[in-house]
Amino acid sequence: MKTVTSETGFLLIIIAVSFHYVMCTLDVSDSLYRFRCIKGKCIRKHRESLGDTEQYMETLNQCRLLCGEYGPLWPIPTGPLRLGQETKEIIPDNISFDYSNSPEEAEVRRYLNETQRIFVKTLLKECNRNCNHTTTTNLFVFINIRTGDTTLSWSTNESYELHLRSNDDNIEVYITALTVFGARHALETLSQLVASKYYPDGNCLLILSTAHISDGPVYPHRGFLLDAARNFISLNAIKRQLDGMASVKLNVLHWHITDSQSFPLELVSFPLVTKHGAYSGNQVYSQQDVRMIFDYAKHRGIRVILEFDAPAHAGNGWQWAPSAGLGNLSVCVNEQPWRKLCIEPPCGQFNPANPNLYTVLQEVYADFANLIPPGEILHMGGDEVFFGCWNATQEIVDYLAKQRKGREQEDFLDLWGEFQSNVLELWDRARFDDAPLSTILWSSHLTDPNVIEKYLSNGRYIIQTWVEGDKDLPKQLLKKGYRLIISTKNAWYLDHGFWGITSYYNWRKVYNNRIINNSLVLGGEACIWTEFIDEHSLDSRTWPRLAAVGERLWANPNIDASKVEARFYRQRNRLITRGLNPEAVTPYWCVQNEGECQ
């Protein structure tokens, strides 16, 4: 057994006390104030001014559990909702689950078992891992899944019905869903219908004694793009984002895993790419790491869509090719002056004039096909191709000349279109056991409505637009029959406001951003590009603003941010409880005095 010095022991005590203080200040039985729901708002009142007959609750979170049309729920349900006004005390040890009416397939049971574990862990965190106050109330959760399908896609039914009722010392919860993902969302909702209660001998949870909720998402694609190539993001940091996403029912992690700055993804076919492209040997995502993230995400109701960006954003990692006798697979790599060759340093674009490029990419796409789950798609990037780089590369200019093409924009567009057609064929070939799937490209010069139909079929390509909210591009593409994912540049680019002339978008701006409601609009994504962010600042740049995106894409409510403040503050509190570090959005006085700071 290790011996702890007195100084070390004292430090450990201070750390433990500080941690307990931070956790408990989220929602404690305050000796000064009590709260009461009046006209849909939790009103604060000093304890010494309370009358003997006035019924005030000990904490703000307890009040919010019983206050307002939607109580503490985030995002709001989209169907009929009825929340009770009474609570019962429970502890996680007294919760049991029944799947007897669900399919017996092993994958379904494995999913439900893991979802159950996450649910109980979430409740333990809610009461500061000290849920040991004595209570005789039992919580029984009955889950009825109607299908054995565990595939998460744009066509997956994520809806659910949740009915909660009480009798004597028992609380019964009945969850009905078509898929395991709907059941997961129902348990997420159930976890939000609780608040901590504190006793001298330990804590417990208050849970609503009755509730009836019918719910399902408006958009099938509710995403978050995480750039892990500009700055390496550790697996633990990625898992934290997934935990936060699950809490607000976002269902797609768009993992931008390669770029010109680094290529941290291990490739089985060409390990030299990572050797030359990773920042260090410790900053690499192994094949096992990526599969683990896929699995971790799925049990939280989240798809992972990998992005292999091409033909631009392809620099570091490809320098080994000439010495291997393959010529220049990528050109302009790390060249200066960068402003003439790319959007941002370091430069690097694939070389479509080199036939070896397609031989190599065939094996790279096979690596991706073997890595991602069957039936999952690949994001093929396709943004910010810089014609100046190709125009400065003699072998590309000569290649175009042999095709009787010049050096105008339309000539480089044709070259780009040829590249895209070739790599789509490579991707299909790598996945020869499956029917052709759609793929995603960023909006770009190639997706301009005036030329897009020449190069990209609306049956194969989904366009992710990243223009300002007042731009007409999404509507023009919809008229041409293209499916869209919308990332509103001046609202949902969460890295903005810290560089150049970009602006910071507060959570209200994020929440009030509405995207087109059209059957061809799959949904939207908020984006974090990490030129000026790493894993130490990731949480605060992302959260709690990403929660605002979660409600917008799940429910698309016809209300603005001024009507949701209390629930939003409760959700921020919930994120902290679950281990994230969201930025502060208002003084705590405003949190305690609802509506006074608008």
Side-chain angles (χ1 to χ4, degrees), residues 10 99 152 159 193 288 311 398-399 444 575:
F10 179 75
Y99 314 146
L152 184 57
S159 64
L193 295 178
Q288 182 179 357
D398 292 344
Y399 178 80
S444 65
L575 291 167

Side-chain angles (χ1 to χ4, degrees), residues 11-282:
L11 179 60
L12 290 173
I13 291 171
I14 293 296
I15 292 172
V17 170
S18 299
F19 176 78
H20 179 73
Y21 175 76
V22 170
M23 292 300 293
C24 290
T25 52
L26 297 176
D27 178 39
V28 297
S29 180
D30 194 296
S31 60
L32 296 179
Y33 298 102
R34 296 292 184 266
F35 299 88
R36 184 178 182 181
C37 184
I38 300 175
K39 295 182 179 180
K41 293 182 179 179
C42 286
I43 304 302
R44 185 181 74 161
K45 197 168 185 178
H46 202 283
R47 186 183 60 147
E48 294 181 356
S49 66
L50 296 179
D52 293 337
T53 61
E54 292 182 283
Q55 298 297 315
Y56 277 73
M57 283 163 274
E58 293 180 342
T59 70
L60 182 56
N61 283 353
Q62 290 175 18
C63 179
R64 285 181 175 156
L65 187 59
L66 299 170
C67 198
E69 180 182 0
Y70 300 106
L73 296 179
W74 192 281
I76 59 174
T78 57
L81 168 78
R82 187 168 75 254
L83 301 178
Q85 289 297 302
E86 295 181 357
T87 62
K88 284 183 175 289
E89 295 182 358
I90 63 167
I91 58 174
D93 284 349
N94 291 354
I95 301 175
S96 60
F97 291 79
D98 185 326
Y99 314 146
S100 59
N101 289 326
S102 295
E104 296 184 357
E105 282 93 331
E107 184 62 24
V108 171
R109 294 307 170 101
R110 187 173 86 91
Y111 192 96
L112 291 176
N113 287 337
E114 180 64 9
T115 302
Q116 168 191 328
R117 186 193 67 81
I118 295 168
F119 172 76
V120 173
K121 183 179 178 181
T122 297
L123 294 190
L124 284 168
K125 290 179 179 179
E126 188 65 34
C127 58
N128 300 332
R129 300 184 184 276
N130 187 26
C131 291
N132 55 7
H133 178 70
T134 301
T135 176
T136 59
T137 303
N138 296 300
L139 176 63
F140 299 97
V141 181
F142 301 90
I143 299 179
N144 180 4
I145 307 296
R146 294 176 180 171
T147 71
D149 187 9
T150 57
T151 302
L152 184 57
S153 68
W154 290 309
S155 61
T156 299
N157 187 311
E158 300 176 77
S159 64
Y160 65 89
E161 299 278 342
L162 187 154
H163 299 283
L164 188 158
R165 68 188 187 191
S166 305
N167 55 76
D168 299 326
D169 285 337
N170 291 333
I171 302 174
E172 297 176 346
V173 178
Y174 296 89
I175 291 172
T176 302
L178 195 65
T179 68
V180 293
F181 304 104
R184 191 226 72 88
H185 296 324
L187 286 174
E188 177 59 48
T189 297
L190 183 61
S191 75
Q192 296 183 6
L193 295 178
V194 301
S196 297
K197 186 174 178 64
Y198 302 95
Y199 287 98
D201 65 339
N203 309 329
C204 67
L205 294 168
L206 296 178
I207 187 170
L208 290 186
S209 57
T210 59
H212 300 279
I213 300 171
S214 179
D215 198 10
V218 172
Y219 293 101
H221 187 107
R222 307 180 303 279
F224 171 52
L225 174 137
L226 177 59
D227 169 13
R230 269 53 178 264
N231 275 310
F232 184 83
I233 306 297
S234 71
L235 296 176
N236 284 336
I238 294 173
K239 290 195 288 185
R240 281 202 314 274
Q241 309 318 304
L242 291 167
D243 291 340
M245 292 172 65
S247 76
V248 297
K249 300 185 176 74
L250 289 168
N251 70 344
V252 177
L253 174 67
H254 172 176
W255 192 353
H256 183 87
I257 201 168
T258 68
D259 213 290
S260 294
Q261 288 84 355
S262 76
F263 198 111
L265 174 64
E266 175 191 42
L267 294 180
V268 175
S269 57
F270 296 103
L272 284 174
V273 175
T274 307
K275 184 176 180 179
H276 286 266
Y279 286 131
S280 75
N282 295 324

Side-chain angles (χ1 to χ4, degrees), residues 506-517:
N506 65 31
W507 75 268
R508 294 175 177 84
K509 170 80 171 179
V510 173
Y511 187 90
N512 290 334
N513 178 58
R514 299 188 181 187
I515 64 174
I516 301 170
N517 195 350

